Each structure stands twice: as C-alpha cells, then as structure tokens.
C-alpha cells in the first residue's frame, strides 16, 4: 500500500533565515494549503535561538511532492528495466571518485586541527553558503574539508585537473585585486603630495613649511612621492606571471618571434632549393642511362672487339 502523503505530520524541519539556524520540532502553527495537492498543509514554528517564526524548509516540501509522484515500477518488466539501469555501474571513473569517500572522516580530523567547525566564528563565514545548523554538527569546517579532499585526491591520482576550479577562482580573484589597485591609483593620482611641517620648540605648535615666491604668493613646501600601491602592483604582476615579458608582449620577444619566423621562411626556401636539386639529379641520371646504352652499342660494334670475340670462338 502506498503511504498517504495527505495526512498532517508531527515532526517538521524548519530553517531560520535571520540566524541561519536549522531545527526539527513539532509545528507551532499549521495552516491549510489546498493549492498543494500532494500535501495540503503549511507548517510554521518559532526559532529556538532568535524567536523568529519560520516556515518549513523547501527541500522537505519538495521531497513530499516527489514522494507523491514517485510510485516506482510495479510490473515484472518495469522492475527488470530498473535493475538493468544499474548494469555497468559504477564505471571506472565513478569508482575513482567514490573511493575517496573513505578519506572524509580522516580529513575531517586533520581539518579540525586547524579549522574546527565554528558557525560564524571565522571571517570567511560571512559569505559562506553552508547551512549553519549542518555546520555546527560537523567536526570541521565543511568548506575547508572540501579543499583538503580536492588536494589529496589530486596528489593521490597525480591529476591536477581536480584543482583547476580552485586555481581558476584564485586567478580571477588576483585580477579583481589588480583592477581595484589600478582604480585606486587612477582615482588618487600617480603621485601623493604631503605638506612638510615642523614643530616650533618655543610654542610646541605644528607649523606648515611655506615660502613666498617671486610674485609674492605664499607657497607650501610639499613632499612628492609615487603612489604607494605601485610596489605591491608590480609584485603581484611578477609573481602571478602577468608581466609583459611573461606574456611575450615586449619588443624583444616580438623581434625574437619575427626572427624565428624569418628563419623558418629561409628554411622553407632551402627546402624548395633541395627539391629543385633532386629534380635536376633525376634528370641527369635519366640522361646518363641513355649515354650508357649508347656506349654499350658503340662497344658492341667495335671491329677489334668483334674480331677478338671471333678468334676466341674458333678456339
């Protein structure tokens, strides 16, 4: 008998958006929801942490809907077809992925040494999308454990493709930082001016250094320095291999590439001249065969040779 999904439930999962709290409890308020034919009830409960009224989590509602539509195979043919779907699985690639599931508990212990689970306890938790209730039930930070597992899988399989997504995000972040630095430099200017000053020993007051120019106008003496962000910008570009030389965009690299192309062009010309030489050699060999045949004919018609051959035949 199929389970009746239209009956009211006693234990419901809730999620509090303001404090990221997941909890399971008996609903404090139940309303009719006839538009949900698969389960015509809406559940609400107060968050035990902040007191905000929360509604049933979406995944549980979707699960109820899926269960109401999922009848499964009932005939022998349907059951056989379902079993046939499992043939050939797991594939070698799937086995390669799933065999790292056993690493999770050990890596959780290692990660917990550096990053124990502390929901909203780290600075990076502000942008984390992991459910806080789920995070609090773990021994280690979920995101850091995933990072550990990806690196262990990459080194275990000697396959850097597992890390491509991580380093792609890292490279994108570096470019974003470079853009922010450039925007700051453009906004502030390439130079930073600061007025010079000194302290009057008698009055112990701060006095700005200034002078009167030729036109009688007062001028403030200023220290002029290059923008302090120039140095870290250069260091980031060089360490990330983003300089012009690394990308082959310097004049020297361009000239070297053009000379290499010229050398290849000369080699191509030499190759063509070798082909010409081979053709000439073949034509000469063809003429040589005619000369050899003509020489043989002249030799065979030589009277002395004919006389000698006749004498030898008489003997």
């Amino acid at each position: 008998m199929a389970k009746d999904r239209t009956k009211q439930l006693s234990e419901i999962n809730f999620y509090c958006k303001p404090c990221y709290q997941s909890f399971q409890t008996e609903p404090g308020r139940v309303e009719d929801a006839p538009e949900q034919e698969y389960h015509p009830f809406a559940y609400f409960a107060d968050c035990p942490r902040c007191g905000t009224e929360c509604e049933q989590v979406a995944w549980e509602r979707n699960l109820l809907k899926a269960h109401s539509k999922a009848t499964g195979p009932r005939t022998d043919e349907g059951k056989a077809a379902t079993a046939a779907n499992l043939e050939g699985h797991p594939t070698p690639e799937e086995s390669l992925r799933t065999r790292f599931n056993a690493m999770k508990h050990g890596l959780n212990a290692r990660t917990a040494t550096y990053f124990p689970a502390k929901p909203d306890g780290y600075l990076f938790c502000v942008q984390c999308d992991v459910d806080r209730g789920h995070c609090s039930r773990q021994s280690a930070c979920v995101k850091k454990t995933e990072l550990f597992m990806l690196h262990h899988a990459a080194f275990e399989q000697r396959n850097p493709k597992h890390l491509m997504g991580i380093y792609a995000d890292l490279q994108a972040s570096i470019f974003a930082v470079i853009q922010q630095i450039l925007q700051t430099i453009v906004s502030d200017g390439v130079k930073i001016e600061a007025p010079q000053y000194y302290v009057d020993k008698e009055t112990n007051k701060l006095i700005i250094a200034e002078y009167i120019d030729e036109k009688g106008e007062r001028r403030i003496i200023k220290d002029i320095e290059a923008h302090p962000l120039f140095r870290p910008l250069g260091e980031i570009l060089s360490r990330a291999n983003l300089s012009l030389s690394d990308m082959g965009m310097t004049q020297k690299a361009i000239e070297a590439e053009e000379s290499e192309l010229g050398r290849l062009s000369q080699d191509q010309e030499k190759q063509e001249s070798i082909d010409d030489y081979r053709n000439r050699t073949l034509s000469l060999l063809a003429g040589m065969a005619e000369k050899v045949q003509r020489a043989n004919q002249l030799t065979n018609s030589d009277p002395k040779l004919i006389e000698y051959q006749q004498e030898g035949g008489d003997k």
Side-chain angles (χ1 to χ4, degrees):
M1 291 294 292
K3 187 175 180 180
D4 187 5
R5 304 288 177 181
T6 60
K7 293 185 177 180
Q8 188 172 334
L9 303 177
S10 58
E11 289 289 331
I12 302 296
N13 287 284
F14 299 94
Y15 177 69
C16 179
K17 294 181 180 179
C19 65
Y20 307 105
Q21 175 71 12
S22 297
F23 59 97
Q24 185 180 33
T25 185
E26 183 179 355
R29 182 166 63 90
V30 181
E31 292 186 356
D32 293 333
E35 68 279 2
Q36 299 179 172
E37 297 180 358
Y38 55 92
H39 189 74
F41 299 99
Y43 302 97
F44 302 88
D46 295 336
C47 175
R49 177 183 292 180
C50 65
T52 303
E53 187 179 54
C54 310
E55 61 180 3
Q56 184 183 17
V57 291
W59 64 261
E60 192 172 45
R61 293 197 304 270
N62 294 334
L63 193 62
L64 289 170
K65 184 177 181 180
H67 284 164
S68 66
K69 293 184 177 181
T71 58
R74 297 180 179 178
T75 63
D76 294 339
E77 292 80 3
K79 294 178 181 178
T82 303
N85 292 333
L86 300 178
E87 294 180 0
H89 294 282
T91 63
E93 182 181 355
E94 292 170 347
S95 299
L96 202 60
R97 289 198 308 264
T98 57
R99 72 190 183 98
F100 286 102
N101 291 342
M103 294 172 56
K104 183 175 181 181
H105 298 291
L107 284 177
N108 271 341
R110 293 188 188 182
T111 312
T113 304
Y114 305 99
F115 299 100
K118 294 191 301 183
D120 295 321
Y122 300 106
L123 292 177
F124 52 79
C125 291
V126 178
Q127 299 177 344
C128 183
D129 56 353
V130 177
D131 179 75
R132 271 36 176 195
H134 173 72
C135 180
S136 63
R137 294 190 292 270
Q138 308 303 313
S139 60
C141 173
V142 176
K143 291 294 186 181
K144 298 305 176 184
T145 302
E146 291 178 357
L147 191 64
F148 271 53
M149 290 189 67
L150 284 174
H151 278 79
H152 276 267
F155 280 91
E156 177 74 15
Q157 300 178 11
R158 299 180 64 85
N159 186 1
K161 291 184 179 179
H162 294 297
L163 305 177
M164 294 300 291
I166 297 174
Y167 288 104
D169 294 341
L170 179 61
Q171 198 73 359
S173 300
I174 292 174
F175 268 100
V177 171
I178 291 174
Q179 287 182 342
Q180 290 182 3
I181 292 176
L182 289 173
Q183 290 172 354
T184 303
I185 293 175
V186 172
S187 177
D188 297 342
V190 296
K191 64 180 181 179
I192 301 297
E193 297 181 354
Q196 294 185 1
Y197 61 89
Y198 64 93
V199 179
D200 190 347
K201 296 181 179 179
E202 296 180 359
T203 60
N204 200 25
K205 291 183 178 180
L206 187 68
I207 300 177
I208 301 297
E210 57 185 5
Y211 67 96
I212 305 298
D213 64 5
E214 298 174 352
K215 298 180 180 180
E217 297 180 357
R218 188 177 65 175
R219 300 289 184 181
I220 298 176
I221 301 175
K222 297 181 180 180
D223 288 327
I224 300 177
E225 297 179 353
H227 201 289
L229 289 178
F230 273 125
R231 184 173 180 179
L233 176 62
E235 292 178 354
I236 292 175
L237 290 175
S238 60
R239 292 180 181 179
N241 297 327
L242 298 175
S243 63
L244 292 177
S245 60
D246 294 322
M247 294 184 289
M249 296 297 292
T250 60
Q251 186 63 31
K252 183 177 180 180
I254 294 173
E255 291 176 356
E257 184 177 355
E258 290 177 351
S259 64
E260 182 70 15
L261 291 175
R263 188 179 68 80
L264 293 175
S265 178
Q266 293 176 0
D267 293 342
Q268 183 70 19
E269 293 177 359
K270 291 180 180 179
Q271 184 66 33
E272 292 176 357
S273 64
I274 292 173
D275 293 339
D276 295 339
Y277 174 76
R278 184 175 63 251
N279 294 332
R280 288 196 302 271
T281 303
L282 292 174
S283 63
L284 290 173
L285 291 175
M288 185 65 68
E290 295 178 0
K291 291 180 181 180
V292 171
Q293 186 177 5
R294 192 180 308 115
N296 290 334
Q297 292 176 354
L298 292 174
T299 302
N300 294 330
S301 61
D302 187 273
K304 295 292 184 181
L305 180 61
I306 294 173
E307 184 181 354
Y308 174 79
Q309 290 175 348
Q310 289 176 351
E311 291 178 355
D314 295 340
K315 294 178 181 179

